[in-house]
């Protein structure tokens, strides 16, 4: 996490907030918290792609950072081995996490990721719906949904206000090298520039009102990493214009 790297370099939390403010930005969201559920340690994480420290923050430390950065929302993932978590136990843990977040005035959003223990919309909706916390919602990543187990019927039945944010992205027709983690972190594409059927999903999200909430990019890509800030901004702007979201 950049926060600790910057702190180690002598940059204070106050400095970070001031740097953001100078650019007209307010830090509103902290992502991801994982150790709220005991099955958090992944069995397939390549430290070259994603160091364990990025997802391994203790819950107390995570909330301390959220408080210091004055964020409004956090997102929770279950990064442990697939098939090792009971959904009812996960639901209890998520409800407790939302309660703790609520005491700090924070919303807590749940994100499903296809290569780990909360892999798809069905399992995430089960947890969210049964936890039944007013300060919770879903983080809906197009890549995660389409690489997991897409369920158009279920998606159409979910109230749009329970999808707190939509992450725009695209990808190859098939995962690069048949490796979901590598594909996820290195080979995504700008929305509308890949081969995934994202327009159909965006149509569903629009129909339930989910696009009235937070919508933004999440494009992990080695090709995009090679662009400078100006080129990257222009590419994102053009992508949105072509997509007409």
């Amino acid at each position: 996490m950049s926060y600790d790297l910057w702190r180690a370099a002598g940059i204070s939390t106050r400095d970070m907030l001031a740097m953001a403010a100078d650019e007209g930005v307010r830090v509103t969201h902290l992502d991801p918290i994982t150790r709220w559920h005991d099955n958090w340690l992944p069995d397939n994480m390549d430290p070259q792609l994603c160091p364990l420290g990025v997802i391994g923050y203790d819950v107390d430390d995570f909330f301390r950072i959220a408080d210091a950065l004055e964020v409004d929302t956090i997102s929770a993932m279950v990064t442990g081995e697939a098939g090792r978590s009971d959904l009812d136990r996960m639901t209890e843990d998520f409800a407790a996490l939302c309660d703790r977040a609520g005491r700090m005035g924070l919303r807590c959003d749940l994100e499903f990721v296809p290569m780990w223990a909360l892999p798809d919309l069905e399992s995430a909706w089960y947890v969210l719906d049964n936890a039944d916390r007013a300060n919770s919602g879903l983080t809906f990543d197009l890549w995660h949904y389409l690489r997991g187990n897409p369920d158009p019927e279920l998606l159409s039945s979910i109230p749009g206000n329970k999808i707190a944010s939509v992450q725009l992205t695209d990808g190859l027709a098939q995962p690069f090298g048949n490796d979901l983690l590598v594909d996820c972190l290195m080979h995504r594409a700008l929305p509308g520039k890949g081969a995934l059927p994202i327009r159909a999903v965006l149509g569903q999200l629009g129909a339930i009102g989910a696009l009235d909430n937070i919508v933004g990019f999440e494009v992990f890509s080695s090709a995009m990493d090679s662009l400078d800030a100006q080129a990257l901004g222009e590419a994102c702007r053009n992508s949105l214009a072509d997509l007409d979201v």
Side-chain angles (χ1 to χ4, degrees):
M1 183 180 284
S2 298
Y3 181 85
D4 279 349
L5 294 176
W6 289 347
R7 286 292 306 275
I11 301 173
S12 69
T13 304
R14 183 178 298 176
D15 293 334
M16 297 179 205
L17 294 174
M19 290 162 61
D22 286 345
E23 298 298 327
V25 172
R26 189 173 80 83
V27 180
T28 62
H29 183 73
L30 188 61
D31 168 71
I33 187 169
T34 67
R35 294 181 70 165
W36 57 276
H37 180 61
D38 57 6
N39 181 25
W40 72 271
L41 187 64
D43 64 337
N44 57 355
M45 181 68 79
D46 182 343
Q48 298 299 315
L49 291 178
C50 183
L52 191 60
V54 172
I55 64 167
Y57 274 77
D58 174 80
V59 171
D60 289 342
D61 289 338
F62 189 93
F63 276 108
R64 174 182 55 80
I65 296 169
D67 184 55
L69 292 175
E70 302 173 0
V71 301
D72 302 320
T73 64
I74 63 173
S75 60
M77 297 193 305
V78 183
T79 48
E81 183 180 350
R84 285 193 57 240
S85 287
D86 175 78
L87 283 181
D88 290 321
R89 170 65 184 278
M90 197 186 297
T91 300
E92 293 175 3
D93 291 345
F94 183 67
L97 179 67
C98 290
D99 290 344
R100 178 166 180 175
R103 290 192 291 272
M104 295 178 61
L106 300 174
R107 193 185 73 229
C108 182
D109 297 329
L110 185 64
E111 183 169 6
F112 57 93
V113 184
M115 52 273 198
W116 289 324
L118 189 72
D120 52 27
L121 180 63
E122 181 182 10
S123 56
W125 178 244
Y126 180 93
V127 171
L128 189 84
D129 190 38
N130 286 282
D132 193 24
R133 292 304 191 264
N135 65 323
S136 67
L138 288 177
T139 296
F140 189 98
D141 182 303
L142 290 172
W143 188 97
H144 293 168
Y145 175 71
L146 289 166
R147 287 288 194 237
N149 181 31
D151 190 334
E153 184 176 351
L154 173 60
L155 178 56
S156 292
S157 73
I158 293 175
N161 65 349
K162 296 305 293 183
I163 298 180
S165 62
V166 174
Q167 295 178 338
L168 301 175
T169 188
D170 208 327
L172 303 168
Q174 297 296 324
F176 183 88
N178 203 33
D179 187 321
L180 281 177
L181 189 64
V182 171
D183 189 64
C184 176
L185 296 179
M186 295 186 67
H187 295 283
R188 296 196 191 199
L190 284 169
K193 305 301 182 184
L196 297 180
I198 68 166
R199 283 184 169 82
V201 182
L202 288 170
Q204 280 197 281
L205 291 168
I208 62 174
L211 298 181
D212 297 334
N213 305 322
I214 297 171
V215 178
F217 290 97
E218 179 140 304
V219 183
F220 299 112
S221 162
S222 55
M224 297 293 289
D225 287 345
S226 67
L227 300 180
D228 62 32
Q230 181 69 29
L232 184 60
E234 290 177 358
C236 290
R237 180 187 62 202
N238 294 336
S239 169
L240 276 184
D242 291 344
L243 204 58
D244 193 27
V245 173

